[in-house]
Amino acid sequence: MSRRNHDRYTAGDWREAGPTVGAILANRWLVYTECDLCELRIRADLKRIARERGPGFVLWGRATTCRRMGCPGRVTFWVRPHGAYGDVGMT
């Protein structure tokens, strides 16, 4: 990632810089989930994910069920890399 203007990075560029949970932890990036239905936002516990699934686990392109009781929605993972213009959807 040699470009100076981080606002010109695409989601693919960020995915390449942090492809796995272990790499995201090493980069010290914030990851959170947001429900598409109820809009609940929760910070993802990356250390727990790495412990349970392994540091090679990939969050990119994944979705899971909402953790709010009774909500049938699905959550999307979002990452906030240092220097990014905004949050990046991990779709």
Side-chain angles (χ1 to χ4, degrees):
M1 310 248 326
S2 60
R3 287 177 267 167
R4 291 179 183 221
N5 296 335
H6 291 130
D7 61 328
R8 297 180 192 254
Y9 284 28
T10 65
D13 293 331
W14 292 116
R15 182 178 184 157
E16 189 176 317
T20 64
V21 172
I24 293 169
L25 279 168
N27 291 337
R28 300 179 64 180
W29 292 349
L30 170 70
V31 174
Y32 65 92
T33 63
E34 185 171 351
C35 179
D36 298 333
L37 187 63
C38 72
E39 299 180 357
L40 175 70
R41 291 177 68 167
I42 299 176
R43 186 174 184 169
D45 188 350
L46 294 176
K47 290 181 181 178
R48 183 180 66 87
I49 294 170
R51 189 173 53 249
E52 292 180 6
R53 300 282 185 142
F57 186 71
V58 177
L59 290 175
W60 294 91
R62 296 205 185 251
T64 189
T65 56
C66 182
R67 295 185 70 185
R68 178 173 279 167
M69 184 184 288
C71 179
R74 303 282 293 167
V75 298
T76 303
F77 288 95
W78 292 82
V79 65
R80 186 176 297 158
H82 303 295
Y85 186 67
D87 298 341
V88 179
M90 300 178 79
T91 55

